[in-house]
Amino acid sequence: MCATASRELAEPLAATAATARTWLLLEQTGPWGANALLDSHLDPELGRALEAAAEGTGVRLALIRRPGRHADCHQPASRRFFVAHTAPGNAWVRHGTTADPRELLGLDFAALGAGTEPPGTAPYDGDTLAFVCTNGKRDRCCALLGRPLAAALRAAGGTDTWEITHLGGHRFAPTLLLLPHGYAYGRVSAHAVKEIAEAVHEGRVVLEGCRGRSTWDRPGQCAELAVRSHAGVAGADDLTVVRTEGANPAWTVLVRHRDGRSWSVDVTATAGPEPSPASCGAPALPQLRLTAGEPRSLPR
């Protein structure tokens, strides 16, 4: 996918997913501002404290709400939250409810980032979790394109669908995150999401529209998707990015299959042939895109 990116007319999606080994998602009704943790009906002091607790731990925070009209409720009686770790072989989702979101400050964020399940939560065993970016105050395309998608997914069933405040890559709206594996998608339709969600339920990855797995840094995302395309690897937990060496604009990434096969992938960053806006209504600017060379098989 990355290897053919330069021939695509539209900016390629591969290697554009937000990076997070672990997601902490808190339900918050009412309006969201551009920085929703600090500009919503969540106490901004709590938002700042959560951001500080998560910094450097591999945990990414976001607010979520159900699709549809949003009750302007300043103090909901109870809020749901999800904690999801996305690493292959240890991908899980836990959930819980809280009457006071300050309780989340009691979580061990470093342990969450390392893949330790939080106490006092239950395993999530419902439909595939789908989170659609809809924060129009951050980018109006996320609202114009994301909210109809979220509503359609909820009406269709088959996914446990939520709106989310920020997934990055507004120019790829509508954007979508699926848990537990943490693969992100862009420019998706409700019909495509149904196929993607069914694949997730079966432990497979659909490459069309895939932006990458949030577990990896962006060179790792690029290399992993390139190996999937090159070797026909479909299993969500089949591949692990073992290490990334180098620095912008050139890296070498080692990707290993759980059956023992491994590949070395050269990844380079270049400016796209045509400027494009970083968000809806923004001026067109050169956007860096990552390109993967042909994966090289390594001896076992």
Side-chain angles (χ1 to χ4, degrees):
M1 294 178 67
C2 293
T4 61
S6 62
R7 297 195 296 271
E8 296 179 25
L9 293 178
E11 183 182 354
L13 292 163
T16 65
T19 55
R21 293 183 65 83
T22 302
W23 293 82
L24 174 56
L25 308 174
L26 172 65
E27 184 177 12
Q28 176 60 58
T29 58
W32 295 335
N35 184 346
L37 281 168
L38 306 182
D39 189 11
S40 67
H41 289 163
L42 184 73
D43 182 347
E45 290 187 6
L46 174 59
R48 280 188 285 271
L50 287 169
E51 285 185 326
E55 186 175 1
T57 65
V59 177
R60 186 179 176 99
L61 300 162
L63 302 182
I64 58 174
R65 63 191 179 195
R66 285 299 191 187
R69 298 187 62 184
H70 306 120
D72 200 11
C73 179
H74 285 263
Q75 293 182 337
S78 182
R79 310 163 191 249
R80 290 192 69 184
F81 66 91
F82 297 92
V83 186
H85 188 65
T86 64
N90 189 34
W92 47 259
V93 179
R94 309 280 296 188
H95 69 123
T97 59
T98 179
D100 183 358
R102 291 175 180 81
E103 293 176 345
L104 298 182
L105 291 173
L107 294 171
D108 184 337
F109 282 77
L112 295 181
T116 301
E117 298 180 2
T121 59
Y124 175 81
D125 58 2
D127 291 332
T128 299
L129 282 162
F131 299 90
V132 182
C133 187
T134 63
N135 190 353
K137 289 297 178 66
R138 196 172 185 102
D139 188 292
R140 67 175 183 269
C141 283
C142 292
L144 292 172
L145 301 176
R147 293 196 68 190
L149 174 64
L153 292 179
R154 189 176 190 194
T159 59
D160 188 356
T161 303
W162 296 78
E163 298 183 1
I164 190 168
T165 50
H166 185 46
L167 292 177
H170 313 295
R171 60 193 181 278
F172 306 123
T175 61
L176 175 80
L177 173 72
L178 295 170
L179 294 175
H181 305 298
Y183 282 96
Y185 288 81
R187 305 190 191 115
V188 287
S189 66
H191 177 76
V193 173
K194 181 179 179 181
E195 177 187 354
I196 293 166
E198 288 174 354
V200 169
H201 183 71
E202 297 168 359
R204 296 184 292 108
V205 177
V206 172
L207 290 182
E208 185 175 357
C210 188
R211 300 177 60 196
R213 186 171 188 153
S214 73
T215 320
W216 317 126
D217 60 17
R218 290 184 177 175
Q221 292 174 19
C222 187
E224 190 229 33
L225 292 176
V227 170
R228 287 190 178 278
S229 179
H230 170 79
V233 178
D237 282 345
D238 284 348
L239 297 179
T240 296
V241 174
V242 178
R243 64 175 178 267
T244 299
E245 297 177 337
N248 191 12
W251 303 264
T252 299
V253 183
L254 176 62
V255 180
R256 181 170 296 150
H257 195 290
R258 58 181 169 183
D259 66 8
R261 289 179 291 164
S262 57
W263 297 262
S264 179
V265 186
D266 292 330
V267 176
T268 56
T270 58
E274 297 291 339
S276 61
S279 58
C280 192
L285 298 171
Q287 302 293 337
L288 284 181
R289 51 182 69 179
L290 300 191
T291 303
E294 187 81 2
R296 301 184 299 276
S297 295
L298 301 176
R300 299 197 186 195

